[in-house]
Amino acid sequence: MTRVLILGGTGDARKLAERLVERSGLHVTSSLAGRVREPQLPPGEVRVGGFGGPDGLADWIRNEQVSAVIDATHPFARTMTGNAVAAARSAGCPLLVLRRPAWQPEAGDDWRSVPSMTAAAALLPELGERIFLTTGRQGLAHFAELDLRFLVRTVDPPEPPLPPRTTVLLARGPFTVDDELALLREHRIDALVSKNSGGSMTSAKLVAARELGLPVVMVQRPPRPDAPSAGTVEQAVAWLDEVLRGHAG
């Protein structure tokens, strides 16, 4: 039985697992970080929790005799990706980084590109009073000192520190443009903050901001890891096929 490890929790990771578990002779394990209380589980074997850094992950790869690792974590999961690259090299195991393409501004967009959450927070006071913060639970401390009104949307309740004037909306995508337009109007949002995650699950907010002429503070992704990469599930499957053909040969 050939073993493949998918590091995920993203929609692309679930789609990849769905494609692979149907194959005979292939054992697929999806590893989730455990940061979401009720994650959407992929098919196949699932493990939850960390490995103990790159050394622990390398040991797991060796002990489980993994033939290939596909890192399909969030584009901003910099630490996990770094650990995966180091572990795969240590274990001598092929690794692919699956990252969906980043969003690109379109005609009519008013994007303010920033390199970090800190830079995003510094820019907000000049953009308005009511901010739609869609960067997830982690990193909200960067905005905790701002005396602005924040609408924070997350899957699970965020932990402090939070901005003093915060309304929390618990929701999981995908979202529609009509719903996003209604939300922005209801809360009289002046500006939106987003990480450049890419994909279609949460892109409707960008269309809604464009239609309403709202500025979007876009936090850019960390640098690409020094490892083979793919932008789609189909490309990842093709890479894996090539790796497995090499093993067979």
Side-chain angles (χ1 to χ4, degrees):
M1 185 70 78
T2 302
R3 300 183 67 90
V4 175
L5 173 64
I6 300 174
L7 304 174
T10 61
D12 283 342
R14 290 189 295 275
K15 291 176 184 177
L16 180 61
E18 289 169 0
R19 289 281 297 273
L20 298 181
V21 294
E22 298 176 351
R23 296 189 173 190
S24 61
L26 200 61
H27 182 93
V28 179
T29 301
S30 295
S31 178
L32 311 182
R35 290 174 178 165
V36 178
R37 293 181 182 178
E38 297 182 5
Q40 294 177 297
L41 298 179
E45 180 184 355
V46 177
R47 72 176 302 280
V48 178
F51 291 91
D55 292 340
L57 177 53
D59 288 341
W60 195 92
I61 291 171
R62 294 189 193 97
N63 294 337
E64 298 296 323
Q65 299 182 326
V66 173
S67 296
V69 177
I70 300 178
D71 171 28
T73 55
H74 193 276
F76 284 80
R78 187 173 186 174
T79 299
M80 185 64 245
T81 294
N83 288 350
V85 172
R89 285 177 180 164
S90 176
C93 182
L95 174 138
L96 179 78
V97 177
L98 173 57
R99 290 288 185 274
R100 55 187 179 261
W103 292 315
Q104 300 297 328
E106 300 183 14
D109 282 330
D110 180 10
W111 284 16
R112 318 296 173 91
S113 178
V114 294
S116 65
M117 300 278 273
T118 301
L123 192 60
L124 289 182
E126 67 184 62
L127 296 180
E129 169 73 12
R130 300 173 184 273
I131 310 298
F132 186 23
L133 196 54
T134 66
T135 54
R137 287 192 305 150
Q138 300 187 14
L140 296 181
H142 292 284
F143 305 91
E145 302 301 320
L146 295 178
D147 187 24
L148 302 173
R149 295 184 182 275
F150 285 94
L151 174 63
V152 174
R153 183 166 67 193
T154 62
V155 175
D156 291 325
E159 298 179 356
L162 300 175
R165 294 191 288 170
T166 296
T167 299
V168 176
L169 174 63
L170 299 182
R172 189 197 300 266
F175 305 103
T176 69
V177 174
D178 286 344
D179 287 343
E180 298 291 57
L181 284 168
L183 185 68
L184 295 175
R185 287 172 174 142
E186 176 187 353
H187 292 271
R188 294 182 290 161
I189 296 299
D190 297 314
L192 184 151
V193 183
S194 175
K195 292 178 178 178
N196 197 332
S197 302
S200 60
M201 287 281 286
T202 59
S203 60
K205 63 188 176 184
L206 304 178
V207 178
R210 183 188 311 135
E211 291 191 14
L212 295 178
L214 300 180
V216 176
V217 180
M218 187 65 74
V219 182
Q220 295 306 310
R221 297 180 177 188
R224 281 179 172 269
D226 182 17
S229 63
T232 67
V233 170
E234 289 72 22
Q235 291 171 354
V237 171
W239 173 87
L240 181 61
D241 287 340
E242 188 68 25
V243 168
L244 297 183
R245 278 195 294 268
H247 278 287

